[in-house]
Amino acid sequence: RLLGGDIRIEGRGRFTGPNRDVALKAQGTATADGLRNAREAEWLARLARKASGSTPYAATFSVRDGASELSLTSSLQGLALQLPAPLVKTAEEQMPLRIEKKVLARETRQGATVATQDQLSFELGRIGAVQYVRDISGAEARVLRGSIGVGLTAGETASLPDKGVFANVNVAKLDIAAWDALLGTAASSSTQSEAPGAGEDAAQAYLPTRIAVRAQQLGIAG
């Protein structure tokens, strides 16, 4: 059992010797209640307060050179979301989700191969896509650059900048207060167990440093 539902896991691992690795595949069902109890991802648990129902998912997970890679896909059908537009959906609707974490660069240090850079990417149906390139050579992952594209039309992109995080947003309605509350909750929950200062900086690094916004309706201060 995981995230409120049954899960089936199969795979292999090598746990001794210099070339240790793990490769797993999983299929399962996640429920809104299970996500709310996901203490290992407090930000996800808080977002799940606005969800109901359940949805199936498939995932792969691997570890090599001490660095993990993962891929998760789900149609989100069966899970209702009451998040700020355009992230609201009924349980019957499909909103294909894909989350991927992959290593981009490795280097050899003292005879051992070490992963130094990875990429996090999120794709959510017609809604948009997010990606971050991170430095993982230290004790904590550090965002180098990122892009957030929401509601873009064909031919439009949110390309990765040289540094910082660029957001390109095109929506029918943008409620600043609702998004501020959502992002503030996610950021604060991810840092509440960290030492003051360092954790906050790490969470802030995922937020946009430059934003282009188009909206038919814009809600500010009520």
Side-chain angles (χ1 to χ4, degrees):
R1 302 276 293 179
L2 182 69
L3 300 177
D6 291 337
I7 183 172
R8 177 185 175 88
I9 301 175
E10 58 182 337
R12 61 176 178 79
R14 184 188 297 117
F15 303 100
T16 60
N19 300 315
R20 302 182 185 185
D21 60 53
V22 175
L24 303 174
K25 292 183 179 180
Q27 287 188 318
T29 299
T31 70
D33 286 339
L35 293 171
R36 282 190 284 270
N37 292 321
R39 296 176 181 174
E40 65 278 6
E42 182 66 18
W43 62 272
L44 178 61
R46 295 202 177 199
L47 296 183
R49 293 176 182 176
K50 302 293 185 178
S52 60
S54 63
T55 188
Y57 64 89
T60 63
F61 176 81
S62 64
V63 177
R64 184 165 67 90
D65 302 327
S68 63
E69 293 185 309
L70 67 87
S71 174
L72 183 146
T73 59
S74 173
S75 68
L76 295 188
Q77 189 170 29
L79 194 69
L81 302 176
Q82 294 298 322
L83 296 169
L87 298 184
V88 60
K89 68 177 287 293
T90 65
E92 292 75 20
E93 289 181 278
Q94 292 193 21
M95 189 181 286
L97 169 69
R98 179 178 179 84
I99 301 174
E100 188 176 45
K101 176 178 179 284
K102 62 180 180 180
V103 174
L104 295 181
R106 291 179 167 88
E107 66 180 41
T108 301
R109 296 179 180 177
Q110 300 177 345
T113 303
V114 178
T116 58
Q117 197 173 95
D118 73 0
Q119 177 176 288
L120 284 178
S121 59
F122 306 82
E123 297 178 9
L124 188 59
R126 67 186 187 280
I127 305 302
V130 178
Q131 60 177 322
Y132 298 100
V133 174
R134 308 187 305 171
D135 180 347
I136 56 173
S137 60
E140 299 290 338
R142 180 171 60 89
V143 174
L144 299 175
R145 53 199 184 117
S147 67
I148 301 170
V150 178
L152 302 184
T153 60
E156 291 185 306
T157 62
S159 56
L160 280 169
D162 292 334
K163 63 179 180 178
V165 179
F166 171 57
N168 191 0
V169 179
N170 182 10
V171 292
K173 180 179 180 180
L174 183 62
D175 187 333
I176 297 296
W179 276 104
D180 185 57
L182 178 67
L183 294 176
T185 293
S188 64
S189 64
S190 67
T191 63
Q192 63 183 5
S193 62
E194 302 284 344
E200 295 176 4
D201 291 342
Q204 290 294 324
Y206 290 88
L207 300 182
T209 55
R210 186 162 59 95
I211 307 175
V213 175
R214 288 161 291 164
Q216 298 300 313
Q217 294 183 345
L218 181 64
I220 301 176

